[in-house]
């Protein structure tokens, strides 16, 4: 079973920030938080991952709470192309990420 | 640089038949993982291949088997197909030597079992 809890769906206005929450209250000290997204009819796409510090890349920012029991993925300026299912995944995969445990994710709808 | 490629994109089979799906990993990657995604669900891990051997396996029956070739490409075989095997089958590749390396997924093969 997935170790994370996400809202099933969210809406966001185009051009606004999209903030996607994820609860992972049973996360272990050496487990990372990963985010992937899946646009309709495509395979999942890696977005970002982090351990305890906040992370930012060209796609998004990841904010992890100090107790590491929850996190938020931020898309700073959502576009229609960001409409997708977003998966929050927790694990410690060492040198291999083969066995990712996906939940049902959050379906983000970006509206004009 | 081609990403992960899968073939065929769509397939229709009948119950009891056997099917083979194919995957070519991203250039430079040596590890291939297979996932099954039922409608409305997240992907579920089937197994992972590295150095032509099954390295990890999820909770799938022996009807699901695989193979990895010396060029790192991979096949997923499913025997004695059931209606419940209808799903999107995703292949993902990675570089085992890279710590916390991200997975790159193909667009999948949509299998329908009638």
């Amino acid at each position: 079973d997935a170790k994370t809890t996400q809202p099933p769906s969210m809406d966001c206005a185009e051009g606004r920030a999209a903030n996607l929450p994820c609860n992972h209250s049973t996360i272990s000290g050496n487990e990372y938080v990963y985010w992937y997204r899946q646009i309709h009819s495509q395979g999942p796409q890696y977005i970002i991952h982090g351990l305890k510090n906040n992370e930012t890349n060209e796609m998004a920012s990841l904010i992890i709470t100090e107790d590491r029991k929850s996190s938020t993925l931020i898309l700073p300026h959502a576009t229609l192309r960001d409409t997708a299912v977003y998966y929050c995944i927790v694990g410690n995969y060492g040198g291999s990420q083969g066995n990712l445990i996906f939940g049902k994710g959050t379906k983000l709808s970006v509206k004009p | 640089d081609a990403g992960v490629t899968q073939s065929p994109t769509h397939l229709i089979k009948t119950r009891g038949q056997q099917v083979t799906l194919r995957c070519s990993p991203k250039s430079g990657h040596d590890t291939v993982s297979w996932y099954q995604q039922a409608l409305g669900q997240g992907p579920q891990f089937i197994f992972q291949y590295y150095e032509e051997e099954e390295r990890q396996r999820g909770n799938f029956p022996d009807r699901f088997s695989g193979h990895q070739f010396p060029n790192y490409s991979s096949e997923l075989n499913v025997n004695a197909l059931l209606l419940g095997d209808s799903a999107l089958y995703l292949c993902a590749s990675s570089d085992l030597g890279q710590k916390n390396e991200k997975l790159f997924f193909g667009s999948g093969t949509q299998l329908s079992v009638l």
Side-chain angles (χ1 to χ4, degrees), chain A residues 24-44:
Chain A
H24 32 79
S25 57
T26 61
I27 191 170
S28 301
N30 60 356
E31 289 184 317
Y32 284 73
V33 179
Y34 301 86
W35 284 83
Y36 281 75
R37 74 179 182 183
Q38 188 171 22
I39 296 170
H40 184 61
S41 299
Q42 296 182 23

Side-chain angles (χ1 to χ4, degrees), chain A residues 35-101:
Chain A
W35 284 83
Y36 281 75
R37 74 179 182 183
Q38 188 171 22
I39 296 170
H40 184 61
S41 299
Q42 296 182 23
Q45 175 192 25
Y46 168 86
I47 302 173
I48 198 167
H49 75 278
L51 183 61
K52 57 177 79 172
N53 297 321
N54 298 337
E55 302 287 344
T56 295
N57 63 20
E58 65 280 2
M59 290 183 69
S61 294
L62 173 61
I63 308 298
I64 303 174
T65 57
E66 195 168 339
D67 64 7
R68 303 211 322 124
K69 292 184 177 182
S70 65
S71 61
T72 301
L73 178 75
I74 300 172
L75 308 179
H77 305 287
T79 71
L80 299 179
R81 287 176 296 179
D82 292 321
T83 292
V85 177
Y86 287 77
Y87 296 100
C88 171
I89 301 164
V90 160
N92 181 9
Y93 301 102
S96 166
Q97 286 196 345
N99 186 7
L100 294 178
I101 301 175

Side-chain angles (χ1 to χ4, degrees), chain B residues 7-28:
Chain B
S7 64
T9 54
H10 295 81
L11 202 51
I12 299 174
K13 292 286 188 178
T14 56
R15 279 181 300 173
Q17 285 189 314
Q18 178 263 344
V19 68
T20 297
L21 311 182
R22 295 176 175 82
C23 172
S24 292
K26 180 178 168 60
S27 178

Side-chain angles (χ1 to χ4, degrees), chain A residues 34 36 38 94-98, chain B residues 35 37 45 48 96 100-101 103:
Chain A
Y34 301 86
Y36 281 75
Q38 188 171 22
S96 166
Q97 286 196 345
Chain B
Y35 287 78
Q37 186 172 24
F45 176 74
Q48 181 188 64
L96 192 67
N100 290 309
E101 174 69 2
L103 283 181

